[in-house]
Amino acid sequence: MLEEALAEIRSAPDARALQLLRVAWLGRKGRVTERLKTLGGLAPEERRAAGAEINALKQAVEQAFDERERALEAAAVQAQLERERVDVTLPGLRPAAGAHHLLTQVMHKLTDVFRTLGYEVVVGPELEDDHHNFEALNFPPEHPARDTQDTFWTTDGRLLRTHTSPMQVRYMRDHRPPFKVVVPGKVFRNEAVDTTHEAQFHQLEALVVGERITMADMRGAIEAMAVALFGPGTRTRLQPTFFPFVEPGAEFAIWWTHPKTGKEEWLELGGCGMVHPNVFRAVGYEDVTGFAFGFGLERMAMVTYGVSDIRDLYRGDVRVLRQFRGVA
Ligand code: PHE
């Protein structure tokens, strides 16, 4: 009987079959149990030996069940390990990493240059008022110079800043000279949009005020920026022009090799000049001089990286973002 039991138990294919076998052998009406029940019918002198034998049988069967159970469990775990095996040598799924927009990269590059030159980087509000955007910058009311800055007005009489120059006024009002600051930021003009004009663009403004700041310092600052951006030997040019908040005023250009055409030419960048006495007066400064310059980033980014339509910088097209990731 033991041999038969062992053979069945050892060949039970899974836990469920084993459980059925356990009932068949050791259950209330199982074969081993039935054998035990026969003990009662035996003569007392036979019962002892038969009892010992059946108990030994029962123990052997129980032990076989336990062994088989452990074996099946181990096999199940092994099968699961096989089934759920992870191949750590397979290439992973790379999460798409974000990247800075081309303009942000250009902006960082520029602010890095000026930080190196000892300038503080500050930012100001995009929603401005007439006082900071025009009046304190020496644009009298009704002055035609206002027409050069097509302005978005809000219904409550405020405006979207048309340049970063209002931060000149805010910074000077809150600080004492000497100082050197640059102001990167978004500006707005009510323009007809085309490939080179957007109603929103970015400027970088520089303002340096101190006791004997001269136009030569301004020239040096612009040249230092040009050299940092475009390499040693880069030349700059100033040509007289008018902005109400500087006197004398100029526009500045950088002599560079166009990265796409390979041609050497002047890249007109922006405006500059010595801070007008009326601006100093508006912020209560005396006995100081200073210079300021400001220019648009889009143009510089477009010619440098070969973007022919300014609107591509604002469409949010992922292909454009990908194309210019990490270039500047
Ligand atoms: N704010 C002027 C503009 O947007 C540029 C400028 C800045 C000119 C500083 C002179 C000095 O056109």
Side-chain angles (χ1 to χ4, degrees):
M1 192 182 220
L2 179 59
E3 289 309 311
E4 195 189 342
L6 294 185
E8 284 189 13
I9 292 166
R10 287 178 186 148
S11 58
D14 54 35
R16 199 178 132 71
L18 192 67
Q19 179 56 28
L20 292 175
L21 275 181
R22 198 189 282 270
V23 173
W25 287 95
L26 300 173
R28 245 181 329 116
K29 290 184 175 149
R31 291 175 64 185
V32 175
T33 319
E34 293 297 336
R35 276 287 279 281
L36 271 170
K37 288 180 190 162
T38 63
L39 281 179
L42 294 182
E45 57 277 14
E46 287 172 312
R47 201 180 290 163
R48 209 183 144 85
E53 192 196 319
I54 299 176
N55 267 324
L57 167 71
K58 191 182 171 201
Q59 268 181 23
V61 171
E62 276 173 348
Q63 192 187 337
F65 271 115
D66 290 348
E67 275 167 15
R68 185 63 187 155
E69 190 173 348
R70 279 198 296 275
L72 285 175
E73 268 170 16
V77 169
Q78 193 55 38
Q80 186 181 12
L81 285 178
E82 293 289 333
R83 207 167 48 242
E84 296 176 1
R85 180 151 60 190
V86 174
D87 183 351
V88 293
T89 67
L90 283 175
L93 296 177
R94 205 177 278 277
H100 281 138
H101 190 277
L102 177 60
L103 286 173
T104 308
Q105 296 179 51
V106 170
M107 186 89 92
H108 286 167
K109 194 168 164 182
L110 281 162
T111 49
D112 279 355
V113 167
F114 283 101
R115 274 202 195 88
T116 312
L117 296 172
Y119 286 65
E120 184 191 353
V121 181
V122 296
V123 292
E126 292 167 6
L127 182 60
E128 266 294 4
D129 52 36
D130 186 273
H131 175 75
H132 293 92
N133 197 85
F134 291 123
E135 209 178 311
L137 287 171
N138 199 33
F139 287 80
E142 317 301 335
H143 192 283
R146 288 179 177 230
D147 296 345
T148 65
Q149 314 230 343
D150 309 278
T151 310
F152 284 116
W153 295 93
T154 64
T155 45
D156 63 357
R158 287 186 291 174
L159 54 89
L160 297 180
R161 65 177 177 191
T162 59
H163 50 177
T164 40
S165 302
M167 240 336 245
Q168 289 189 26
V169 178
R170 289 183 182 277
Y171 191 89
M172 287 197 277
R173 193 194 51 200
D174 296 342
H175 298 80
R176 295 283 101 195
F179 55 74
K180 305 193 275 189
V181 290
V182 282
V183 189
K186 208 177 275 180
V187 301
F188 307 85
R189 301 228 182 141
N190 194 348
E191 308 231 34
V193 172
D194 61 26
T195 54
T196 54
H197 295 86
E198 255 288 359
Q200 160 193 306
F201 55 102
H202 294 78
Q203 287 189 337
L204 186 89
E205 184 100 6
L207 174 67
V208 173
V209 179
E211 253 173 37
R212 271 178 296 276
I213 302 296
T214 69
M215 204 139 177
D217 295 317
M218 179 180 83
R219 181 94 200 231
I222 292 173
E223 204 144 296
M225 168 179 81
V227 168
L229 291 177
F230 303 115
T234 306
R235 287 189 292 140
T236 59
R237 173 183 78 180
L238 302 184
Q239 288 181 311
T241 192
F242 174 77
F243 298 98
F245 41 97
V246 287
E247 180 60 36
E251 54 184 32
F252 68 97
I254 292 176
W255 181 251
W256 77 333
T257 308
H258 194 294
K260 293 290 159 190
T261 63
K263 264 187 23 204
E264 285 192 296
E265 61 189 26
W266 288 110
L267 170 67
E268 292 288 353
L269 265 194
C272 61
M274 300 307 290
V275 178
H276 196 287
N278 285 349
V279 178
F280 282 146
R281 221 161 274 140
V283 296
Y285 277 17
E286 280 170 15
D287 302 325
V288 286
T289 56
F291 67 79
F293 59 87
F295 58 93
L297 296 189
E298 275 75 359
R299 195 170 130 70
M300 183 192 267
M302 286 170 73
V303 288
T304 307
Y305 299 102
V307 180
S308 51
D309 189 335
I310 192 172
R311 292 167 292 193
D312 281 336
L313 294 177
Y314 291 102
R315 265 195 265 266
D317 188 328
V318 194
R319 292 170 302 178
V320 176
L321 302 179
R322 286 218 181 93
Q323 183 181 351
F324 295 113
R325 85 175 336 150
V327 292

